[in-house]
Amino acid sequence: MLPLTSRPRALTTVDALLTEGLAHPDRVAELRQVTSEFRLRISPLMREAMGNLATGPLARQFVPTPAELDVRPEERTDPIGDLTHKVAPGLTHRYPDRVILAVTQSCDVYCRFCFRRETVGGDGALSDADLDAACAYIAAHPAIWEVVLTGGDPLSLSARRIGAIMDRLSRIPHLGIIRFHTRVPVVFPERITPALIRALKVRPAVYMVIHTNHAQELTGVSCAALARLAQAGIPLLSQTVLLKGINDDPDTLEDLFRTLLRNRVKPYYLHHSDLARGTGHFRTSISAGQAIMKVLRGRLSGTALPTYVLDIPGGFGKVPIGPAYLTPDAGGWRVTDPQGHSHLYRDPV
Ligand code: SF4
């Protein structure tokens, strides 16, 4: 694998898209308007993996389109209410036992549907002073046993900086879990170096939740990076966003979830797309998502099935929204099996 400095550069401008044949010359003005508001970056690996498929599942996730200028009335600048629960710079405390710590606003790709698209790409990494303030808050709240590192993408930081953050968090005795939410092993796997893995060997258990939406993202080098993490003993989970025209059909998701499981990544969440501004063209209905989950339940083992969830707009938390298999009936329960047949079940008295 090429070292970080020898790889081709990321695509970050509309001009670069034009040169690569990923933008139509007639749409340049609109694309400049989109990218003046929502940052553009496509990692070299994702550029390579999308090939010439300017409308394929990878291009649709990373290449801006004029559709992003269509902002709908229900869409919000802070779709899941991060700001409502912000307690210090970079720190969100929504649930009693865990906090979200945004350690950087930078990512190696900027996904066109990102629910934090208003903030990613902003002012770089959390300062030492802000990290100290966040750690002081966590230390003062013994009920917090898990820190979710997010951003931006926390693994876009250097191994040295991640080591410093791990060291700081490890000194908080009541912390049991440090969880990374990241796209790096998929989109920029060169960052999964021995130095990074050494930095992750700390006392709180480190979990990695990998964001990936289509099996085409899981290139050979990405799978090798996942293997390095798995071999280091880091439990791997995935999160996927349900995206219209990209993965909103059972065959595509089945392929993704089987590929993940083969690579020792347990499918964890399938997110209903959030109400971020300019992302309506990616959104399916909840009933469409439930229908997909119903089909998948009939095809896949529980190990391959994520939970279909909605982050309730406004910061009210995440809830499962998968299809219902159980309804009350005649003092018992009417249960639907994966083939759609109905059965009566009574609790033993
Ligand atoms: S990598 Fe994650 S945080 Fe960054 S743009 Fe994509 S979805 Fe948003």
Side-chain angles (χ1 to χ4, degrees):
M1 193 189 307
L2 290 173
L4 288 179
T5 47
S6 315
R7 293 293 307 244
R9 290 161 65 122
L11 305 183
T12 56
T13 63
V14 173
D15 291 333
L17 294 179
L18 278 170
T19 307
E20 295 279 318
L22 293 172
H24 197 287
D26 292 351
R27 312 308 295 263
V28 164
E30 291 155 290
L31 294 178
R32 289 198 201 290
Q33 202 183 330
V34 170
T35 55
S36 70
E37 205 167 347
F38 303 117
R39 286 285 294 272
L40 160 65
R41 183 179 286 158
I42 305 174
S43 69
L45 178 62
M46 287 299 101
R47 168 64 194 103
E48 194 181 309
M50 73 177 67
N52 294 323
L53 291 173
T55 56
L58 301 194
R60 285 178 56 94
Q61 290 185 61
F62 304 124
V63 178
T65 64
E68 293 174 52
L69 297 173
D70 174 18
V71 175
R72 304 184 184 177
E74 68 276 16
E75 293 177 343
R76 300 162 176 236
T77 51
D78 180 21
I80 68 163
D82 279 342
L83 293 177
T84 316
H85 299 281
K86 191 168 173 178
V87 290
L91 194 67
T92 300
H93 193 181
R94 192 188 323 264
Y95 305 101
D97 72 333
R98 71 211 97 129
V99 287
I100 294 171
L101 181 57
V103 288
T104 175
Q105 296 305 332
S106 185
C107 302
D108 286 311
V109 288
Y110 290 115
C111 311
R112 306 320 303 169
F113 47 85
C114 177
F115 69 110
R116 295 207 175 102
R117 61 193 328 227
E118 312 281 342
T119 51
V120 292
D123 287 342
L126 199 69
S127 68
D128 281 339
D130 286 344
L131 180 62
D132 284 346
C135 289
Y137 179 91
I138 298 165
H141 290 78
I144 298 171
W145 87 299
E146 181 173 22
V147 173
V148 180
L149 294 180
T150 178
D153 194 320
L155 286 190
S156 67
L157 295 172
S158 69
R160 197 161 148 192
R161 179 64 181 160
I162 291 168
I165 295 169
M166 294 294 98
D167 180 53
R168 200 64 194 73
L169 291 173
S170 305
R171 283 187 251 147
I172 303 174
H174 55 264
L175 268 193
I177 307 278
I178 299 173
R179 184 180 359 147
F180 283 79
H181 279 193
T182 179
R183 227 163 169 2
V184 160
V186 172
V187 302
F188 209 118
E190 300 93 324
R191 292 194 190 279
I192 312 301
T193 58
L196 173 71
I197 286 172
R198 276 195 301 278
L200 299 176
K201 293 203 164 153
V202 289
R203 177 203 48 85
V206 170
Y207 278 67
M208 213 47 80
V209 180
I210 316 286
H211 171 183
T212 179
N213 303 313
H214 196 285
Q216 282 182 22
E217 292 167 35
L218 297 164
T219 61
V221 282
S222 309
C223 293
L226 293 174
R228 293 197 288 283
L229 291 166
Q231 279 155 14
I234 297 170
L236 304 176
L237 306 167
S238 71
Q239 52 181 340
T240 293
V241 184
L242 183 62
L243 296 166
K244 190 190 272 182
I246 294 172
N247 62 14
D248 61 331
D249 66 273
D251 292 347
T252 301
L253 286 179
E254 179 182 349
D255 187 23
L256 173 63
F257 298 149
R258 286 192 195 278
T259 306
L260 284 167
L261 213 50
R262 264 200 309 276
N263 283 283
R264 289 182 272 177
V265 183
K266 160 79 184 97
Y268 171 47
Y269 276 151
L270 175 66
H271 293 273
H272 192 73
S273 185
D274 293 306
L275 296 175
R277 286 194 309 134
T279 62
H281 53 298
F282 287 116
R283 215 166 294 123
T284 63
S285 65
I286 287 180
S287 55
Q290 289 179 327
I292 292 169
M293 287 304 291
K294 244 182 187 167
V295 175
L296 292 176
R297 169 68 60 185
R299 291 186 190 173
L300 294 170
S301 70
T303 49
L305 274 181
T307 305
Y308 179 36
V309 291
L310 173 73
D311 235 310
I312 304 169
F316 301 102
K318 207 181 274 109
V319 288
I321 56 167
Y325 294 92
L326 197 63
T327 47
D329 186 4
W333 299 97
R334 179 67 47 188
V335 192
T336 308
D337 69 28
Q339 284 68 44
H341 304 128
S342 158
H343 310 269
L344 191 62
Y345 178 88
R346 287 190 199 283
D347 288 315
V349 282

